[in-house]
Amino acid sequence: MIGKNSSNGVYLGKNFTLIENFDPLPADAAEQTKAALNTFAEKHPDLNHFFLLVPNAISVTAEKLPPYAPVLIQNDYINSFTTGLNEKLTVLDPRPILEQNQDQLLYYKTDHHWTTLGAWLSFQGVANAMGIKPDPDAYTVYPVTHSFSGALVSKSGYLSFATDTINVYVPKNEESYSVVNYVEEQKKSSSLYDSEQLKGKDKYAVFLEGNHPIIKIKNPVANGKNLLVIKDSYANAFIPFLTPFYSEITVIDPRYYYDSIDALIADAQITDILYLFNANTFFRDTTLEPVLNDD
């Protein structure tokens, strides 16, 4: 217990909002990851490298925390990490647009993930730095469930009287659909969303069927740009917005991927790399460094 308004690393905030605490590993873990990123960018100077570290609810919606909650300043950790990155890595910062839209539901009230709106706004906020011009009117928004009770409910033990709505953004252009290849599962899908997941507890898995070692997404785009996304689960709601801008997107989760990343880059003819993680997971996880250092 952190205090009377917290349980198992989860704060009970205003309006029954559950907010995961920020509990980073010692600084040397992040320094090792940073060194691996810098070395990897130097090793692949011909690729466009983009680094996106997403702040969590504990930072963006801190006003919902219980009074006097003893939390670390997540922004300080993000700033310290990104300022030490190699100049070959373009840092994408979604914080300004998220902070400008604090009155919107950017994070689920019962789960540690951002909402699809949070991902969409962030995409619009960083797209220009990626050389992308998104169409703000490209999607129709559909609610696919109003009964999402997220992971923070079971983690904290708090009885939440709220459930969340999950929205998906479907392209208005019917010709812009993609084919998703779940490589290790030897399964293909014509949708970035899996409605079967809405029948289970982890309804956030509606996005790309949850986490997989490797996914390949072929898009109806013939521009010769192939993107590698190295990510955690926050990317699952973000990746659909990238599909109109890349011929093929390869997605790996370093927590489950054990093959050679250099061979993958060559085989998939990668032109761009996006490293996308949320800060809570990123500063607690050490799996990215060995994936990048696969010599």
Side-chain angles (χ1 to χ4, degrees), residues 6-286:
S6 66
S7 173
N8 199 25
V10 179
Y11 286 105
L12 178 60
K14 295 178 182 177
N15 301 320
F16 297 102
T17 299
L18 301 181
I19 300 175
E20 188 173 43
N21 190 32
F22 177 54
D23 183 25
L25 293 173
D28 60 337
E31 288 302 314
Q32 290 179 21
T33 300
K34 185 188 300 185
L37 277 163
N38 287 339
T39 300
F40 192 74
E42 289 282 356
K43 186 178 179 182
H44 296 280
D46 52 327
L47 304 181
N48 299 309
H49 298 260
F50 303 103
F51 183 80
L52 174 53
L53 193 52
V54 183
N56 298 95
I58 197 167
S59 176
V60 177
T61 58
E63 77 284 351
K64 294 182 180 179
L65 285 166
Y68 312 112
V71 299
L72 297 173
I73 306 302
Q74 192 179 75
N75 269 336
D76 291 347
Y77 286 78
I78 293 174
N79 291 337
S80 176
F81 189 90
T82 56
T83 53
L85 288 175
N86 189 293
E87 61 182 11
K88 290 182 171 60
L89 284 145
T90 299
V91 175
L92 308 176
D93 192 352
R95 290 176 293 179
I97 198 164
L98 290 173
E99 290 163 4
Q100 290 164 19
N101 289 275
Q102 286 177 325
D103 58 327
Q104 305 291 317
L105 192 62
L106 304 176
Y107 302 88
Y108 296 110
K109 297 179 70 173
T110 67
D111 195 67
H112 58 290
H113 290 104
W114 57 2
T115 62
T116 326
L117 175 62
W120 170 235
L121 289 172
S122 295
F123 175 69
Q124 293 181 83
V126 304
N128 185 61
M130 297 183 71
I132 289 172
K133 293 184 178 179
D135 177 1
D137 194 41
Y139 298 94
T140 302
V141 181
Y142 294 101
V144 291
T145 181
H146 298 291
S147 59
F148 177 38
S149 181
L152 296 184
V153 175
S154 53
K155 181 180 180 181
S156 67
Y158 286 124
L159 292 175
S160 176
F161 299 101
T163 55
D164 282 300
T165 295
I166 296 179
N167 293 317
V168 299
Y169 285 52
V170 177
K172 294 178 180 177
N173 179 3
E174 294 185 359
E175 296 180 357
S176 62
Y177 290 97
S178 305
V179 176
V180 184
N181 180 11
Y182 299 97
V183 177
E184 294 206 355
E185 295 80 3
Q186 297 184 334
K187 173 184 174 182
K188 290 186 178 181
S189 172
S190 59
S191 176
L192 297 160
Y193 307 109
D194 180 17
S195 59
E196 284 296 309
Q197 303 296 328
L198 299 172
K199 299 176 182 178
K201 180 172 176 55
D202 181 17
K203 292 177 171 54
Y204 184 80
V206 68
F207 303 102
L208 293 172
E209 293 190 10
N211 297 316
H212 301 264
I214 180 169
I215 301 171
K216 293 190 175 184
I217 305 170
K218 288 194 174 181
N219 306 308
V221 182
N223 61 7
K225 295 176 65 177
N226 297 318
L227 175 68
L228 172 62
V229 181
I230 305 175
K231 61 87 184 182
D232 65 20
S233 57
Y234 262 55
N236 298 359
F238 187 93
I239 288 169
F241 303 125
L242 294 165
T243 57
F245 305 100
Y246 291 92
S247 296
E248 185 166 322
I249 300 175
T250 302
V251 183
I252 65 170
D253 190 322
R255 295 170 293 185
Y256 315 112
Y257 184 79
Y258 303 109
D259 293 327
S260 168
I261 192 170
D262 290 330
L264 177 64
I265 288 171
D267 292 344
Q269 298 181 314
I270 296 299
T271 59
D272 298 51
I273 300 181
L274 171 63
Y275 313 86
L276 195 164
F277 297 89
N278 78 89
N280 270 5
T281 298
F282 187 77
F283 288 107
R284 289 289 308 169
D285 189 80
T286 59

